Amino acid sequence: MEWRDQVQAAEQASDWDTAISLVSAHAECRSDDFYAHDNHLWHMDLLVRAERFDQLAELAVTDVHARRRLNRSLHEQGKDAELRHRAEGGDTGALYHLVRLLCAKGRPQDAREAVQEIGPENEHAHQLLADWASKDATRQARIIDLDEFEGLFRTFGHSAWRLETRRRYASDEATDTYRQFIETGGVEWDESDPYCELIRSQTAQGKRVERVRIVDQPPTEGQLYLLNNAKRNGSLGEDIRNLWRADADRLHLPSEDFWLFDSRLAARLRFDDSDHLVDVELITEPDEIVRYSFIRDAAWRHAVPHGHFAAELS
């Protein structure tokens, strides 16, 4: 049995000693080896699931990934006292989580006092307070058309990340490349269209464009088409990964289809009953952005790079 299979079996049995021991043996923070670094993040996640917060706190002294995972876990559990203690010890990430948590609990005054006492000169903490203060409790959806949505890909600063959850996209099925794929099983992709030129120019500047695509078992025709399309995306500098729907369900990923830009703005894609993209809802509320960021982190850690996924499927 391959060691990853052993870990999954141990996870299902809640045998955390075995799972943590196996994963940590193959983990290395910031390794040039993608899998070693990914295993390091897996190790942090296992410590949380095993509720070994003391071990995580020890690692957090020198390990930024342990520190982020610990703070996120404390936020998810609503432990503002523990976050405050960490923030008072100099952990600015804990301060940001503390502000978001207190505001989400309906305690904005406590959040303001915490910022004044712990980080009075921390501009981002003050910005978080301002964002929450301006939040409309009865928010109306801000809907943009597809032209304005396209403009987001021209203006994002450092990262554009997508979760694709649907079984079919009507817009794909209307293309010549889709008909070519259905007829021949392959596609001659044109990499000179405006989208390709735009994404290529963005990734050439060091910006990240990443996706996780959910795939059914067996895959639908539309999903197989996108698996083929990922070769073109990859040549543009995108990083495409895939996740079986059963694994997505196990991770409690939502059925929402969205882009997350610069970890500060989400664009939720809205489809009609015929799977046509109709318009896009822009979301900037801090609590929602935090939720989408959690979804991104969970999906990205468990998803498989396109090349490996396609090879396994073949």
Side-chain angles (χ1 to χ4, degrees):
M1 182 184 294
E2 206 262 351
W3 73 268
R4 292 178 182 272
D5 297 326
Q6 292 179 295
V7 174
Q8 292 178 351
E11 287 182 287
Q12 294 176 357
S14 297
D15 181 1
W16 303 117
D17 285 336
T18 298
I20 291 170
S21 177
L22 285 168
V23 172
S24 62
H26 296 82
E28 181 182 352
C29 181
R30 300 191 185 282
S31 172
D32 292 334
D33 181 345
F34 160 81
Y35 290 105
H37 180 69
D38 202 46
N39 291 337
H40 176 67
L41 301 180
W42 192 1
H43 180 203
M44 302 301 102
D45 190 51
L46 285 173
L47 290 175
V48 171
R49 294 174 61 193
E51 299 184 352
R52 298 186 179 180
F53 300 110
D54 289 343
Q55 293 182 35
L56 198 60
E58 290 178 9
L59 291 171
V61 174
T62 57
D63 189 320
V64 64
H65 299 100
R67 187 158 59 250
R68 291 171 180 168
R69 192 62 184 88
L70 176 60
N71 290 336
R72 190 174 82 189
S73 179
L74 293 174
H75 186 162
E76 292 169 345
Q77 297 176 75
K79 295 186 175 182
D80 52 276
E82 287 84 346
L83 281 171
R84 184 182 182 101
H85 177 72
R86 293 189 55 78
E88 290 173 339
D91 186 342
T92 55
L95 175 60
Y96 304 150
H97 277 282
L98 175 62
V99 171
R100 297 187 188 105
L101 178 58
L102 290 174
C103 289
K105 286 183 172 183
R107 297 162 54 190
Q109 181 57 38
D110 290 342
R112 283 191 289 270
E113 292 176 359
V115 171
Q116 289 301 322
E117 294 171 6
I118 301 172
E121 298 180 358
N122 189 307
E123 294 183 4
H124 185 63
H126 284 286
Q127 184 60 54
L128 289 174
L129 288 172
D131 289 342
W132 279 96
S134 63
K135 179 182 176 183
D136 182 1
T138 58
R139 178 180 70 89
Q140 297 296 315
R142 181 189 170 193
I143 306 302
I144 61 174
D145 61 26
L146 301 186
D147 288 337
E148 189 174 353
F149 171 57
E150 181 182 339
L152 297 176
F153 293 89
R154 303 182 185 281
T155 58
F156 77 92
H158 55 76
S159 64
W161 188 93
R162 184 177 181 184
L163 179 66
E164 296 184 12
T165 62
R166 302 181 67 82
R167 291 176 170 85
R168 68 182 289 260
Y169 295 90
S171 59
D172 288 342
E173 296 175 8
T175 63
D176 291 336
T177 53
Y178 191 88
R179 286 190 288 273
Q180 185 183 40
F181 177 76
I182 295 301
E183 293 172 1
T184 68
V187 178
E188 294 180 5
W189 295 104
D190 178 10
E191 297 182 9
S192 62
D193 63 54
Y195 174 81
C196 291
E197 294 178 357
L198 172 59
I199 297 303
R200 188 183 293 110
S201 68
Q202 295 288 49
T203 58
Q205 298 176 55
K207 300 180 184 181
R208 302 194 317 276
V209 180
E210 301 164 335
R211 307 179 194 234
V212 168
R213 286 172 168 158
I214 307 301
V215 181
D216 289 274
Q217 202 166 25
T220 66
E221 285 185 343
Q223 291 166 349
L224 290 172
Y225 170 77
L226 289 175
L227 281 169
N228 190 292
N229 174 258
K231 295 183 293 186
R232 182 190 70 159
N233 293 100
S235 69
L236 305 177
E238 292 192 32
D239 189 345
I240 310 292
R241 303 186 186 185
N242 295 93
L243 188 65
W244 291 115
R245 191 172 299 278
D247 293 326
D249 292 342
R250 178 175 58 83
L251 294 169
H252 305 292
L253 298 183
S255 59
E256 297 168 77
D257 202 300
F258 67 91
W259 281 92
L260 182 63
F261 295 95
D262 297 333
S263 299
R264 66 175 184 81
L265 182 152
R268 181 188 294 149
L269 280 59
R270 309 202 317 173
F271 296 82
D272 63 17
D273 293 339
S274 299
D275 299 304
H276 290 91
L277 177 60
V278 178
D279 53 34
V280 176
E281 178 184 0
L282 285 188
I283 300 167
T284 58
E285 287 77 10
D287 54 342
E288 281 294 278
I289 297 303
V290 169
R291 182 176 73 87
Y292 281 121
S293 297
F294 288 168
I295 293 168
R296 174 198 59 200
D297 293 347
W300 193 248
R301 193 187 75 73
H302 289 274
V304 178
H306 162 70
H308 298 283
F309 189 88
E312 176 184 339
L313 187 63
S314 299

